[in-house]
Amino acid sequence: MSHARRTRYRPSPRLRKLALGSGVSLLLVGLNAPAAVSFAQERLHEYRISRPAYQARYGSWEVVDVPEEFRTNAIHAALLHTGKVLLIAGSGNNEDQFDAGTFDSVLWDPEENTFTTVRTPDDLFCAGHAQLPDGRMLVAGGTARYEVLGDAVTHAGGAMLIKNEDPDQKREFPEGTRLRAPDGQLYETVATVTVPPAEKKETEPATEGEAADEGDDGEEAAEPEIEITASEVRVFVTAVEEGEQGVATEPAQYEILGLTGDDARNFYGLANQLTLEDQDFQGIDVAYEFDPVAERYVPVDPMAEARWYPTLTTLPDGRVLTVSGLDEVGEVVPGVNEIYDPKTKTWSEGPERYFPTYPALFLTQGGKIFYTGSNAGYGPADEGRTPGLWDLEENTFEEIGGISDPDQLETSASLLLPPAQDQRFMVLGGGGVGESEKSTERTAIVDLTERDPTYREGPSLPQGTRYLSSVLMPDDTVFTSGGSTDYRGRGHSDVLKAQFYDPAGDAFVPAADPTVGRNYHSEALLLPDGRVATFGSDPLYGDRDNTRMGEFEKRIEVFTPPYLFDGREETRPVLGKGPEEVGYGEEIGYETEDAGRIENARLMRPSAVTHTTDVEQRSIQLDLERGDGEITLTVPEDPSLVPPGWYMVFVTDESGTPSEASWVRVGD
């Protein structure tokens, strides 16, 4: 019998390690096959995504180490011109925190990875915000009361008007003020209210023939009449007694307990119905400017309306349009809008128009406001949801059609595509109204420079996605990540995917997958070093079967784009010294040794984002001239294209690799 020659094979050290690992895996398979397979898959995935070639193509994610005392429920995130990120939680969708009056804000320095707690004077949970011309950030609205739903509604409640017929005094009624119905039922206010004096106006004297007590010759003038118009303030009240006893189905006048004499006649309550129906969140009217240098909230005049879930949009003159929100009794503000003037720190009445809460309202070139149709949260399904152009001066609204899945614009993302001069807007994903299971992979794009602008279909997302985060990048791409296919991540439906949208190619390109799920109450924004930071997420449930309550996601995860790998980080352009301020139509000069290879320059407005709504971010193309060891950039003249405020200046080379940002304040 012949024998085949046997060759002795000595494995390399690397192969021996792999073989040892395989042996361990086989042993684990024998003990617990599913766990072993999962472990092996995870190790293989970690190895693959750590390879330089993979990162150069798809980028990479890293979870930030946040000390426990600074872990917060990030409901809002805003980049400040100091380079720090303001994370606002307020009560953080935690009713225990609300009841305790514990409100939270944290400043994160991404360059140093340091954190600072900021004293937060009111519950700014679900407020609105906008960047102001001087670099402060306006924060307006927040939470007065948490919702009470279903069987948890044990005390009848509803809106009541507190009336004042006395023109000579105003009166403050503290929270818990009691009022008595004609049938003796008692109700309490859930907030402190101040009722202004009644309006007193003299009417024209009667004519000679109408005078009651004129003289024989008719020459005695009639006494002027005084007309009193009662003032009124709305407040939410709840019945003192539980159950059906507190239900009131007919309009009635209510006596305010503790008042006597004229006060008892002049001050009273009026209500139509007080029921055991669901009671929504209620807003507050407070407003603050956050000072990024002093790192504190500075109070300014309150709004005329209480607002919860409002949208704030900066106008060409630096004033801020404030729209929608739930008011002090939990109803959507009925089209009453306001404008904040940062010069006087006061509010004035804006043009009336109704929108659902957190409408995506963008300033367009020319000064009109574009409503993309995106919104978040509250309002009827058939009112205020059609996209269109709003002319503030004429208060006219031109509807824009063409969008598919129009019933799934709630929780969709919207943005002004780069560069802003092209005036093209994009809507991405979204879901049905309220707690709908619907979600769409639809994207749509509209060009407002066309004679008859109409949405057209864009490339589809990989799957239906609500709460998608979308961030403008220095190389003119759009980075999108996260979201969920169902309401608030229900059914363990977080989408652990990310991709780039390339406006030039009108296509999505895959990016590295995040490791942290992000759905409701999540945010993402561009950092000055060109990376993207993601925050928050508030899943309704914590398991696939929806049997365990979810926990707020406090981790920060940062995405490093492909343009900072494959040696490109070491060769990225460097901007030297430049001015800190520039006017419209003026030039900005920067020293740089990379002048010869700089291809593009962009002004990028820092984000202020919440509830998938970020109407602040925009990227403006700058005219570029190269010199010997310097470049000169020209700022556009139109403040409706470049609203006044602080911007990041990015330049990119021929391969799209950006510099780190240089900050400049634009405006007169």
Side-chain angles (χ1 to χ4, degrees):
M1 178 181 293
S2 63
H3 297 273
R5 184 180 178 184
R6 300 177 67 181
T7 303
R8 185 179 180 90
Y9 175 69
R10 184 181 298 276
S12 67
R14 179 183 176 191
L15 188 55
R16 284 201 299 271
K17 291 180 181 179
L18 290 174
L20 178 61
S22 300
V24 172
S25 296
L26 288 172
L27 175 61
L28 287 173
V29 167
L31 297 174
N32 187 340
V37 170
S38 176
F39 175 78
Q41 288 175 341
E42 289 178 7
R43 293 298 299 271
L44 178 61
H45 177 68
E46 291 173 4
Y47 172 78
R48 185 168 64 90
I49 65 175
S50 67
R51 305 306 296 160
Y54 180 93
Q55 295 176 337
R57 183 173 181 180
Y58 300 108
S60 178
W61 290 87
E62 181 181 6
V63 175
V64 173
D65 181 21
V66 181
E68 185 173 355
E69 65 268 30
F70 298 111
R71 295 172 190 170
T72 190
N73 293 2
I75 307 292
H76 312 261
L79 177 64
L80 308 172
H81 73 86
T82 58
K84 296 182 180 181
V85 177
L86 178 64
L87 302 175
I88 304 175
S91 58
N93 203 19
N94 183 323
E95 195 164 2
D96 291 339
Q97 296 283 85
F98 176 80
D99 292 340
T102 304
F103 311 136
D104 194 24
S105 298
V106 170
L107 269 175
W108 173 48
D109 185 338
E111 185 174 356
E112 302 294 334
N113 196 34
T114 56
F115 298 82
T116 308
T117 299
V118 177
R119 181 183 176 276
T120 308
D122 275 294
D123 190 5
L124 302 179
F125 166 55
C126 294
H129 26 64
Q131 307 280 0
L132 295 174
D134 65 356
R136 296 189 180 202
M137 190 177 71
L138 177 65
V139 183
T143 305
R145 183 173 186 259
Y146 270 60
E147 66 184 358
V148 186
L149 306 176
D151 293 340
V153 182
T154 57
H155 296 254
M160 181 176 288
L161 290 175
I162 306 299
K163 306 279 284 189
N164 178 10
E165 294 186 0
D166 187 343
D168 298 321
Q169 70 163 318
K170 67 177 181 179
R171 186 123 187 183
E172 180 179 280
F173 295 98
E175 177 183 347
T177 295
R178 291 196 168 189
L179 300 100
R180 180 162 40 221
D183 65 359
Q185 287 295 321
L186 294 178
Y187 299 84
E188 290 182 332
T189 61
V190 302
T192 297
V193 294
T194 300
V195 192
E199 181 182 358
K200 180 168 62 175
K201 185 170 65 174
E202 291 186 0
T203 61
E204 292 293 328
T207 61
E208 290 182 2
E210 296 171 338
D213 299 317
E214 63 183 17
D216 293 339
D217 57 2
E219 294 180 357
E220 184 177 339
E223 290 290 331
E225 296 181 1
I226 304 298
E227 182 178 296
I228 303 295
T229 301
S231 65
E232 60 186 34
V233 175
R234 287 204 311 173
V235 65
F236 198 86
V237 301
T238 56
V240 172
E241 289 191 40
E242 292 187 11
E244 295 288 341
Q245 299 96 311
V247 173
T249 59
E250 299 294 332
Q253 180 169 320
Y254 293 74
E255 171 194 359
I256 300 176
L257 298 190
L259 301 184
T260 59
D262 288 343
D263 284 350
R265 290 186 292 273
N266 288 328
F267 293 92
Y268 53 90
L270 293 178
N272 289 326
Q273 290 186 333
L274 302 173
T275 73
L276 287 168
E277 296 176 0
D278 288 352
Q279 299 168 1
D280 265 322
F281 280 95
Q282 296 162 15
I284 54 178
D285 61 5
V286 303
Y288 293 88
E289 289 185 359
F290 184 79
D291 185 335
V293 178
E295 299 184 346
R296 67 186 183 96
Y297 291 99
V298 179
V300 296
D301 278 359
M303 298 177 287
E305 295 286 330
R307 299 182 189 270
W308 186 86
Y309 269 50
T311 292
L312 277 59
T313 301
T314 305
L315 300 175
D317 59 4
R319 295 182 302 156
V320 179
L321 173 69
T322 305
V323 169
S324 192
L326 298 187
D327 62 18
E328 70 275 18
V329 296
E331 298 176 359
V332 178
V333 176
V336 180
N337 306 309
E338 302 177 61
I339 296 177
Y340 178 73
D341 187 341
K343 294 180 180 178
T344 61
K345 317 292 186 188
T346 59
W347 298 84
S348 61
E349 186 177 337
E352 289 192 11
R353 188 156 298 277
Y354 173 89
F355 294 95
T357 56
Y358 277 139
L361 300 173
F362 291 85
L363 176 65
T364 69
Q365 194 164 11
K368 294 181 180 180
I369 300 297
F370 179 50
Y371 172 44
T372 65
S374 297
N375 61 87
Y378 294 80
D382 58 353
E383 187 177 1
R385 295 181 181 265
T386 302
L389 266 172
W390 182 19
D391 185 324
L392 297 180
E393 292 187 4
E394 301 295 331
N395 197 16
T396 57
F397 191 82
E398 175 190 351
E399 293 187 358
I400 290 179
I403 198 163
S404 61
D405 295 337
D407 63 329
Q408 296 178 62
L409 282 167
E410 192 166 286
T411 66
S412 61
S414 294
L415 46 83
L416 171 58
L417 288 171
Q421 283 90 335
D422 290 349
Q423 292 292 281
R424 297 195 310 144
F425 290 83
M426 187 175 193
V427 171
L428 303 97
V433 174
E435 298 185 16
S436 168
E437 295 179 358
K438 289 183 178 181
S439 63
T440 178
E441 68 275 10
R442 174 262 297 119
T443 73
I445 299 169
V446 61
D447 184 344
L448 295 186
T449 66
E450 294 178 350
R451 183 184 298 274
D452 184 19
T454 302
Y455 274 110
R456 68 162 181 82
E457 291 292 306
S460 295
L461 294 166
Q463 63 279 303
T465 309
R466 307 171 68 120
Y467 319 108
L468 184 72
S469 289
S470 301
V471 178
L472 302 180
M473 304 298 284
D475 62 356
D476 281 357
T477 60
V478 177
F479 178 69
T480 71
S481 67
S484 63
T485 60
D486 201 349
Y487 173 77
R488 286 187 64 178
R490 193 166 46 193
H492 213 254
S493 61
D494 282 353
V495 178
L496 291 173
K497 295 288 183 185
Q499 49 274 320
F500 288 96
Y501 172 68
D502 176 14
D506 193 27
F508 282 104
V509 176
D513 297 335
T515 64
V516 179
R518 307 286 183 188
N519 52 69
Y520 181 57
H521 286 155
S522 64
E523 307 84 39
L525 52 76
L526 177 68
L527 298 175
D529 61 8
R531 298 179 300 158
V532 174
T534 61
F535 315 90
S537 189
D538 196 359
L540 190 59
Y541 298 105
D543 64 336
R544 191 177 301 277
D545 297 326
N546 302 326
T547 61
R548 177 166 50 85
M549 296 304 295
E551 293 184 7
F552 202 102
E553 178 57 68
K554 301 176 187 291
R555 287 176 292 175
I556 298 172
E557 191 172 25
V558 175
F559 176 70
T560 301
Y563 56 52
L564 295 181
F565 288 102
D566 198 21
R568 294 165 67 183
E569 183 176 17
E570 289 75 19
T571 62
R572 64 192 305 187
V574 176
L575 282 180
K577 187 178 179 181
E580 289 192 354
E581 297 184 0
V582 63
Y584 291 106
E586 294 182 358
E587 295 180 342
I588 324 172
Y590 289 97
E591 300 173 355
T592 175
E593 297 179 359
D594 301 306
R597 62 188 187 92
I598 291 175
E599 291 288 324
N600 293 296
R602 296 289 184 267
L603 271 181
M604 302 194 72
R605 191 171 177 89
S607 286
V609 57
T610 186
H611 293 75
T612 322
T613 306
D614 186 355
V615 300
E616 283 291 287
Q617 64 170 342
R618 62 176 54 206
S619 176
I620 301 109
Q621 180 178 341
L622 300 178
D623 291 339
L624 166 65
E625 291 185 7
R626 304 170 189 83
D628 184 12
E630 64 177 7
I631 59 170
T632 302
L633 311 176
T634 304
V635 175
E637 296 181 354
D638 187 353
S640 67
L641 180 65
V642 190
W646 283 86
Y647 286 79
M648 293 180 284
V649 177
F650 284 98
V651 295
T652 55
D653 64 15
E654 62 279 359
S655 64
T657 305
S659 64
E660 292 197 19
S662 178
W663 288 93
V664 65
R665 180 182 172 187
V666 177
D668 297 329

